Amino acid sequence: LVRMDARIVRPKAGQVLQATVKYREQVVGQAQATAEGHRVSLSMTVNDPKLWNVGQPNLYDVTLELRSGNQLLDRVQTYY
């Protein structure tokens, strides 16, 4: 289970945070949650998780998108 928490600087009603997790370019998890005020949290299950270790540094790419309806307000990409 992966949990993500975000803070929205200028929140407006109806904003949605969407998260996509990829491992080697394959989507292994997706989730979305509606923001309530300045904070939004979401959880997802990652399919077939690969643990990180020195011999196998498995990293996951994460894209977080803040949307209002069909409009993309912000996008952040990172890894873990």
Side-chain angles (χ1 to χ4, degrees):
L1 185 67
V2 176
R3 179 183 166 127
M4 298 179 191
D5 298 305
R7 182 176 177 274
I8 301 172
V9 176
R10 291 184 295 270
K12 292 185 180 170
Q15 291 177 333
V16 174
L17 182 68
Q18 296 178 332
T20 302
V21 177
K22 292 183 179 180
Y23 178 74
R24 296 186 178 174
E25 301 301 320
Q26 297 295 317
V27 174
V28 294
Q30 289 184 304
Q32 71 177 32
T34 302
E36 296 181 13
H38 288 278
R39 300 254 177 223
V40 60
S41 297
L42 55 84
S43 298
M44 75 178 79
T45 300
V46 171
N47 300 323
D48 192 25
K50 311 288 187 222
L51 299 179
W52 187 96
N53 65 51
V54 175
Q56 290 184 311
N58 297 307
L59 294 174
Y60 290 84
D61 296 307
V62 179
T63 302
L64 296 171
E65 294 181 340
L66 182 64
R67 294 182 170 275
S68 180
N70 290 328
Q71 182 181 9
L72 177 64
L73 302 174
D74 197 7
R75 176 183 291 141
V76 175
Q77 294 179 302
T78 189
Y79 62 90
Y80 70 89

